Amino acid sequence: MNRQLILLKRPNGTPAASDIEYRESAIPEPGEGEVLVRNLYFSMDPAIRGWMDDAPNYRPAIPLGTPVHSVTLGRVVASRAEGYKEGDLVSGITAWEDYSISSPEAGLGVMPSDLGIPLSQFLGVLGPTGLTAYFGLLDVGQPDPGETVLVSAAAGSVGSIVGQIAKIQGCRAVGIAGSDEKCRWITEELGFDAAINYKTSASLVEDIQKACPAGVDVYFENVGGEILDAALMCLNVAARIPFCGAISGYNSQVPVPGPYNFWQLVVKRARIEGFLIPDYAERFGEGIAQLAQWMSEGRIHHAEHVVDGFENTLDTFLKLFDGSRHGKLVVRIAED
Ligand SMILES: NC(=O)c1ccc[n+]([C@@H]2O[C@H](COP(=O)([O-])OP(=O)(O)OC[C@H]3O[C@@H](n4cnc5c(N)ncnc54)[C@H](OP(=O)(O)O)[C@@H]3O)[C@@H](O)[C@H]2O)c1
């Protein structure tokens, strides 16, 4: 049987168990040009929350009555598409289900299986997460040695890698995160120069100014809202803001106000630029090779939480929004 988690209703705010229905269906057969994938891991990504809404996005909304879309890692069990064979390790956007039909057109990629790394890392540090940090910081942020890089959601899967790449580039790395424990982790174990707990800060602007005495040259934006507003007040002339995401608004039931300090982009002749990691697909090989090298040299560390069990998928997904975990979250639904 094919276990599936079906999107029944568009969530109103934080997704509820009643928005998602567990179903069992027959294992599908691949058609001409298609591949049947046995999903092994689901990647927990904040973007999934946006795909659940019927609002303009970079992907069509998940149709009601179908399984929740997700980046996954799995093995090909049957192939009728050129370039894929049984047993290939593959990753792409499939769904919260045991078996998915996919194809080259859907962006299913064959992963190298000879790197000798835990498979889950293809979803994290050597997957979309690490690549988002890599291309977002280096291509969009373009940090120069000696500059200051500030990153929000800094103990998250993307932010924690951003700060470490900033250090490798010779920058000062400052992170904003939601607990003292997270702040300790990014400074003491990941090598960030300073960290700010936005939940206990009396003035985020003052705390950013203290942690970034030479101002902010690159602000890697993951969160939006008040944190973006505070960062805007601390920019240097010609600062760059790679706009990666705005997680603080993803579950909001009302339009998110602000940013109130947007005018600072004019004052500081600064640039803010949205980017999407799928646009870099042709350069993924370059990014994975560089990240793997930095890992082997001990210059990039990462944390991941692998939660076992298909039945734990929704609860694990919600942990992205309550800040209770650091690093990358994945759900393992089957042994390889
Ligand atoms: N553009 C792209 O191609 C791309 C690709 C991947 C991810 N993204 C975006 O990158 C951002 C980070 O993603 P991720 O996968 O690395 O997630 P993540 O940071 O691993 O997990 C989410 C973290 O965000 C923080 N957070 C949650 N709600 C918040 C709020 N209301 N205010 C402030 N912080 C909040 C929490 O940490 P605290 O305890 O610190 O609050 C939480 O642990 C997201 O906005 C995501 O959509 C974009």
Side-chain angles (χ1 to χ4, degrees):
M1 293 302 281
N2 190 16
R3 297 173 297 172
Q4 298 179 305
L5 292 171
I6 304 286
L7 184 66
L8 214 53
K9 285 187 282 172
R10 307 249 171 245
N12 187 8
T14 303
S18 57
D19 298 329
I20 312 281
E21 185 178 79
Y22 173 80
R23 274 189 207 161
E24 291 176 356
S25 65
I27 297 171
E29 296 277 340
E32 190 55 42
E34 292 181 335
V35 171
L36 176 66
V37 180
R38 180 18 160 155
N39 294 317
L40 300 172
Y41 290 87
F42 298 153
S43 175
M44 298 288 111
D45 295 302
I48 296 171
R49 176 63 190 85
W51 306 341
M52 291 176 173
D53 286 338
D54 191 7
N57 207 327
Y58 61 94
R59 284 178 60 79
I62 300 167
L64 292 179
T66 67
V68 175
H69 298 175
S70 173
V71 174
T72 57
L73 184 79
R75 292 265 181 207
V76 172
V77 289
S79 173
R80 296 184 64 193
E82 209 175 307
Y84 303 82
K85 59 180 187 324
E86 204 182 308
D88 277 350
L89 186 66
V90 285
S91 185
I93 297 181
T94 65
W96 286 351
E97 58 187 354
D98 284 312
Y99 294 91
S100 298
I101 296 291
S102 190
S103 65
E105 291 72 34
L108 190 73
V110 178
M111 311 306 289
S113 41
D114 54 356
L115 294 185
I117 58 165
L119 293 189
S120 52
Q121 288 186 11
F122 285 114
L123 297 176
V125 63
L126 294 181
T129 294
L131 292 166
T132 299
Y134 179 84
F135 289 111
L137 180 63
L138 297 182
D139 259 52
V140 186
Q142 300 182 357
D144 282 327
E147 289 193 324
T148 298
V149 174
L150 176 70
V151 55
S152 52
S157 55
V158 173
S160 59
I161 308 293
V162 168
Q164 295 179 84
I165 298 176
K167 289 303 298 176
I168 292 169
Q169 299 305 306
C171 298
R172 176 173 176 80
V174 177
I176 302 175
S179 72
D180 289 344
E181 185 270 326
K182 287 183 178 185
C183 288
R184 251 191 313 277
W185 180 60
I186 63 174
T187 51
E188 291 176 14
E189 293 186 38
L190 303 188
F192 282 54
D193 295 286
I196 299 162
N197 180 347
Y198 72 93
K199 290 189 178 159
T200 55
S201 167
S203 164
L204 260 182
V205 173
E206 280 176 22
D207 285 344
I208 294 172
Q209 285 167 341
K210 260 184 240 151
C212 306
V216 173
D217 299 294
V218 178
Y219 170 52
F220 194 101
E221 170 62 318
N222 283 320
V223 164
E226 290 169 10
I227 295 178
L228 170 60
D229 264 324
L232 283 168
M233 294 306 289
C234 305
L235 299 179
N236 284 334
V237 169
R240 288 80 68 202
I241 304 181
F243 200 139
C244 179
I247 193 170
S248 70
Y250 292 175
N251 284 316
S252 179
Q253 291 159 276
V254 292
V256 180
Y260 298 105
N261 299 325
F262 217 50
W263 171 248
Q264 288 300 311
L265 294 181
V266 177
V267 174
K268 298 294 169 49
R269 283 79 91 203
R271 170 167 64 78
I272 186 164
E273 183 178 339
F275 70 95
L276 274 177
I277 196 57
D279 293 344
Y280 287 89
E282 284 183 4
R283 293 179 56 197
F284 280 0
E286 165 202 330
I288 291 172
Q290 181 61 83
L291 288 161
Q293 187 188 328
W294 284 334
M295 282 174 72
S296 70
E297 294 168 355
R299 301 172 85 189
I300 293 253
H301 302 276
H302 70 109
E304 68 173 17
H305 298 279
V306 180
V307 176
D308 275 306
F310 184 93
E311 65 284 3
N312 295 319
T313 302
L314 182 60
D315 283 350
T316 308
F317 177 65
L318 294 179
K319 291 195 188 312
L320 288 175
F321 303 98
D322 68 13
S324 60
R325 294 294 174 101
H326 63 274
K328 178 73 190 175
L329 273 171
V330 297
V331 176
R332 176 167 49 199
I333 63 158
E335 291 291 336
D336 187 23

